[in-house]
Amino acid sequence: MCGIIGISSNKSVSATIINSLKKLEYRGYDSAGLATVHNGMINEIKSEGRVDSLEKNFDLKNLEGNIGIGHVRWATHGVPNSINAHPHSSHNVSVVHNGIIENSTSLKKFLVNKGHTFKSQTDTEVIVHLITENLKITDLEEAITNTLKQLQGSFALGIIFKDIPNLIVGARRGSPLAVGYGPNENYLGSDSYALKSMTNKVTYLDDGEFCIIKKDQVLFFNEQGIKVNKKIFELSSEESSYDKGHYKHFMAKEIEEQPNTIKSGIKEYVDNFNKDINIFNFPWKIEEIKSIILIGCGTAYHSCLMAKYWFEELTNIDVGIDIASEFRYRKNRFKKDTLYIFVSQSGETADTYAALDICNKNNMKTCSVVNVIESSIARDSNFVLPIHCGPEIGVASTKAFLGQILVLYIFILKLSSLRNEINKNQYHKKINDLKTLPELIEKTLLHDNEIQAISSTFNEAKGSMFLGRGFSYPIALEGALKLKELSYVHAEGYPAGEMKHGPLALIEKGMPVVVLAPKDNYYKKTISNMQEVIARGAKVLLITNKSEDEVISENIWETIEVENTNHDLLPFLLTIPLQKLAYYSALKKGYDIDKPRNLAKSVTVE
Ligand code: M6R
């Protein structure tokens, strides 16, 4: 999951490539590089670490050239260092790549026998030498067509040539790739987001296609090397904020933005006048949908699990959920009356996209819940439910999670009403409750100092557990994921009732355990499970909601009380302290909160 940029212009391109690479760091940030063609030479600079280090280590003024490609890497083959950083070049060809070449070992053997030497440990380098080899025997278009046929796996490629110095080749199989159009220059980007600062006119390559980009012309070809015409799309001019404002980190800003996330979601879908929910242009009759399967990865998967609980509570429809990387390789039984819902903030997650693609190929009904509406997943779904929460830059998903569960909840309420599974009064009451949510979240965000104080205990421990039952279980999983991804401390989310079947053995004196026990139908059961861990020495942080009921405080280390609201909405509030707990733990450790080690914002490899 790397980021690619290419520019073919009538002026020097290196500074613009560097700026675009900075925007692309959400796709990978362990190394970066760029190459230009100038005066009959390929000039290449690469560095381990962030794009900043490229700027520090090289004088960009020396990197002239009106044609160039750049790359930010998230390592798959070979450790993150400057040798394995892209571009990879031969004497004539330079390549940037996102994806994985599955037959790189056999191709490498073949190329070594032909006399090619390899410098890096990457799979990408075989592409460079394969094109170089194929160019010895035929012209550019045929050499590219032949090379792509020899590659197995997934790729988005940007390629420049010393001997054909006026163009860039882009090619796609599996990994997304877009072309952008500007005045006297044209662009290649791993997604439209990468191009947005330069143009709002883009074309998306389809699987198997390649393109030739000159400063004043772009040509597209299919797998057989035959020219094809492609549509130009206009990107939305939606104003978005990509800076941290007065916050230290994007994550802190994004946590605090959540009341607005909910407000925009409500504004988008709730009809205040008629006390109803609008899902415009839904392409199917409600009777056509007999079951629903929700699919996602990471936090988005937790949203799917959350939705399953709401579906079961508010409708009688059959619901299943799946992790995209599992779904895509399983033998699935497709049924015409199933609606497949794909949840993804970026809309570019490779596993989620692959699962969607399988459903589309089987003519299933597909719907996506996404943040980035120009993304591949949004474009290729039959129907889109946008979450409209604005750009989420921090690798740890926060406001997108709340946005996803809000849109799913709204959709479920509407479905329940259309299926006559909820009475009118209840339906209106739930819509009214929803409108109070932004204010309740604002109040919950005020639990700041106490969470800061608690957070060191989690850093100092060997590990921690997050427990919940029912509606709180997906939130426990999400809380544990946030803590481990940001503060590199082992954290496990578990259904509280399952502890006695094994994990209870992990509990020892002083181990911090978060217990999510709002006063809902599961309350008493969860409290019993909490007592079981306390009895074994756990230091319990109880997160519950304010209410008239008796507050249990005996033997509890710390308690946080979120606001009170209808039970359906408590998961929104329970999430906030857990996001803050992860944030402050990482802050105390001095870790890179917006870019945790080994991760990327958009996971575009399988
Ligand atoms: O863009 P997506 O929502 O498809 O991303 C899915 C996961 O990669 C993502 O939620 C990941 O788990 C987050 N880093 C968690 O904070």
Side-chain angles (χ1 to χ4, degrees):
M1 51 207 183
C2 308
I4 289 177
I5 188 84
I7 305 180
S8 173
S9 178
N10 63 353
K11 54 181 192 281
S12 175
V13 292
S14 53
T16 321
I17 291 182
I18 289 284
N19 283 338
S20 307
L21 287 181
K22 284 183 183 161
K23 296 205 174 77
L24 276 173
E25 277 191 330
Y26 70 94
R27 300 178 75 102
Y29 40 79
D30 60 40
S31 52
L34 78 95
T36 60
V37 192
H38 186 59
N39 278 347
M41 301 249 298
I42 290 178
N43 306 303
E44 178 190 281
I45 58 167
K46 317 201 275 191
S47 193
E48 188 181 335
R50 307 275 157 89
V51 180
D52 282 350
S53 57
L54 262 187
E55 277 179 309
K56 265 187 225 138
N57 297 340
F58 299 95
D59 187 356
L60 290 175
K61 282 192 215 94
N62 296 335
L63 198 72
E64 289 179 73
N66 297 353
I67 296 270
I69 48 176
H71 188 267
V72 284
R73 180 168 186 248
W74 184 85
T76 55
H77 286 59
V79 294
N81 61 21
S82 60
I83 296 174
N84 290 331
H86 300 211
H88 292 283
S89 309
S90 67
H91 67 283
N92 183 28
V93 177
S94 186
V95 172
V96 287
H97 168 216
N98 172 30
I100 294 176
I101 303 303
E102 286 165 1
N103 58 339
S104 62
T105 312
S106 57
L107 286 174
K108 192 168 174 179
K109 255 189 213 152
F110 161 77
L111 289 160
V112 168
N113 284 338
K114 293 244 171 214
H116 292 261
T117 49
F118 285 76
K119 292 175 254 178
S120 75
Q121 301 162 307
T122 66
D123 51 342
T124 305
E125 216 180 336
V126 298
I127 309 170
V128 179
H129 293 285
L130 211 51
I131 300 172
T132 311
E133 192 60 31
N134 286 330
L135 274 173
K136 286 182 192 162
I137 40 180
T138 183
D139 65 7
L140 176 71
E141 286 157 37
E142 200 173 322
I144 297 295
T145 311
N146 293 345
T147 304
L148 301 184
K149 278 186 190 150
Q150 287 168 283
L151 298 176
Q152 286 167 16
S154 67
F155 49 79
L157 302 173
I159 313 160
I160 54 174
F161 309 85
K162 179 185 78 136
D163 297 336
I164 323 169
N166 63 334
L167 57 84
I168 302 173
V169 169
R172 173 198 169 166
R173 189 193 297 155
S175 310
L177 199 61
V179 166
Y181 307 88
N184 298 317
E185 54 185 28
N186 291 312
Y187 319 100
L188 182 72
S190 32
D191 55 43
S192 52
Y193 174 72
L195 304 176
K196 226 173 168 175
S197 61
M198 300 182 283
T199 181
N200 67 342
K201 291 196 169 44
V202 298
T203 294
Y204 300 99
L205 270 81
D206 285 316
D207 257 351
E209 290 179 342
F210 71 94
C211 60
I212 295 179
I213 304 174
K214 296 182 181 169
K215 66 177 189 306
D216 47 10
Q217 184 194 41
V218 184
L219 298 173
F220 295 93
F221 302 83
N222 67 13
E223 244 161 325
Q224 283 73 45
I226 297 165
K227 268 194 205 134
V228 287
N229 291 324
K230 301 279 297 176
K231 221 166 128 184
I232 298 181
F233 291 87
E234 200 141 317
L235 299 177
S236 72
S237 56
E238 199 178 292
E239 267 310 304
S240 336
S241 136
Y242 293 102
D243 67 77
K244 289 199 275 262
H246 65 277
Y247 292 95
K248 233 177 162 173
H249 299 100
F250 279 107
M251 184 187 180
K253 177 173 175 251
E254 287 156 7
I255 290 176
E256 299 298 324
E257 277 173 355
Q258 293 178 110
N260 281 337
T261 304
I262 303 297
K263 273 184 208 156
S264 348
I266 293 174
K267 203 167 127 206
E268 178 75 17
Y269 295 102
V270 174
D271 173 348
N272 280 327
F273 185 73
N274 294 313
K275 290 199 194 132
D276 200 357
I277 288 167
N278 289 329
I279 309 275
F280 291 118
N281 302 322
F282 191 66
W284 307 285
K285 288 199 189 100
I286 228 60
E287 312 74 71
E288 290 176 64
I289 299 167
K290 298 270 185 289
S291 63
I292 289 187
I293 293 183
L294 298 118
I295 296 167
C297 303
T299 289
Y301 171 73
H302 297 157
S303 299
C304 299
L305 181 59
M306 191 67 248
K308 182 176 157 70
Y309 279 93
W310 282 325
F311 265 119
E312 287 170 355
E313 182 76 9
L314 298 166
T315 76
N316 290 321
I317 202 158
D318 285 338
V319 178
I321 55 168
D322 218 331
I323 289 177
S325 55
E326 288 298 312
F327 177 89
R328 63 183 293 190
Y329 293 113
R330 255 215 320 276
K331 203 168 146 196
N332 293 296
R333 283 179 200 87
F334 291 107
K335 289 193 192 136
K336 283 268 164 259
D337 51 14
T338 300
L339 171 65
Y340 289 83
I341 301 182
F342 298 86
V343 184
S344 173
Q345 186 284 131
S346 62
E348 299 294 346
T349 301
D351 286 321
T352 312
Y353 182 81
L356 165 69
D357 194 44
I358 293 168
C359 292
N360 281 339
K361 287 188 174 133
N362 282 281
N363 296 319
M364 292 295 104
K365 300 177 177 68
T366 58
C367 165
S368 57
V369 175
V370 292
N371 192 26
V372 184
I373 48 171
E374 289 104 3
S375 61
S376 308
I377 291 175
R379 277 185 286 116
D380 289 350
S381 309
N382 301 151
F383 185 66
V384 184
L385 289 165
I387 64 171
H388 291 301
C389 74
E392 189 182 66
I393 311 290
V395 165
S397 194
T398 52
K399 63 175 180 175
F401 176 65
L402 248 57
Q404 287 161 0
I405 62 174
L406 176 81
V407 169
L408 287 164
Y409 180 69
I410 287 175
F411 178 69
I412 294 163
L413 268 187
K414 179 72 182 179
L415 210 73
S416 166
S417 149
L418 292 173
R419 289 165 55 93
N420 297 319
E421 287 164 336
I422 186 169
N423 72 43
K424 274 265 163 314
N425 287 343
Q426 269 180 318
Y427 181 59
H428 291 153
K429 161 100 177 54
K430 285 187 191 287
I431 291 176
N432 271 336
D433 288 345
L434 204 51
K435 287 194 250 164
T436 64
L437 195 52
E439 199 189 323
L440 298 177
I441 293 176
E442 257 159 40
K443 287 190 178 151
T444 312
L445 284 166
L446 300 176
H447 291 275
D448 205 70
N449 293 341
E450 47 186 314
I451 298 172
Q452 263 194 69
I454 289 166
S455 62
S456 1
T457 299
F458 285 82
N459 286 337
E460 285 150 19
K462 265 199 305 199
S464 57
M465 304 226 43
F466 289 66
L467 308 180
R469 292 179 88 123
F471 297 117
S472 306
Y473 167 49
I475 308 302
L477 292 181
E478 178 58 7
L481 176 62
K482 287 289 95 91
L483 188 70
K484 62 188 142 198
E485 118 181 272
L486 289 169
S487 64
Y488 319 152
V489 172
H490 182 72
E492 219 172 314
Y494 236 82
E498 187 66 10
M499 286 296 282
K500 54 192 173 291
H501 300 290
L504 206 51
L506 290 171
I507 305 291
E508 55 187 26
K509 197 162 182 296
M511 182 186 196
V513 175
V514 179
V515 177
L516 301 175
K519 283 136 195 155
D520 58 12
N521 301 341
Y522 301 87
Y523 180 62
K524 288 200 176 123
K525 300 284 170 206
T526 314
I527 293 297
S528 304
N529 299 137
M530 180 182 76
Q531 296 304 350
E532 288 156 12
V533 295
I534 290 176
R536 281 146 185 99
K539 223 173 157 180
V540 164
L541 164 62
L542 169 67
I543 306 185
T544 183
N545 56 318
K546 290 178 184 158
S547 84
E548 305 288 288
D549 303 352
E550 179 203 359
V551 181
I552 297 168
S553 60
E554 217 181 323
N555 298 325
I556 294 172
W557 167 52
E558 291 286 353
T559 301
I560 292 174
E561 286 186 335
V562 300
E563 299 303 305
N564 199 10
T565 178
N566 101 39
H567 292 176
D568 297 353
L569 301 181
L570 286 169
F572 290 88
L573 305 184
L574 296 177
T575 304
I576 309 284
L578 303 185
Q579 294 172 338
K580 289 200 173 228
L581 181 66
Y583 176 78
Y584 285 119
S585 298
L587 189 69
K588 284 204 176 128
K589 291 179 127 181
Y591 290 161
D592 192 342
I593 292 184
D594 288 329
K595 293 192 174 96
R597 71 179 180 201
N598 304 338
L599 301 179
K601 181 70 183 159
S602 184
V603 185
T604 56
V605 290
E606 63 174 289

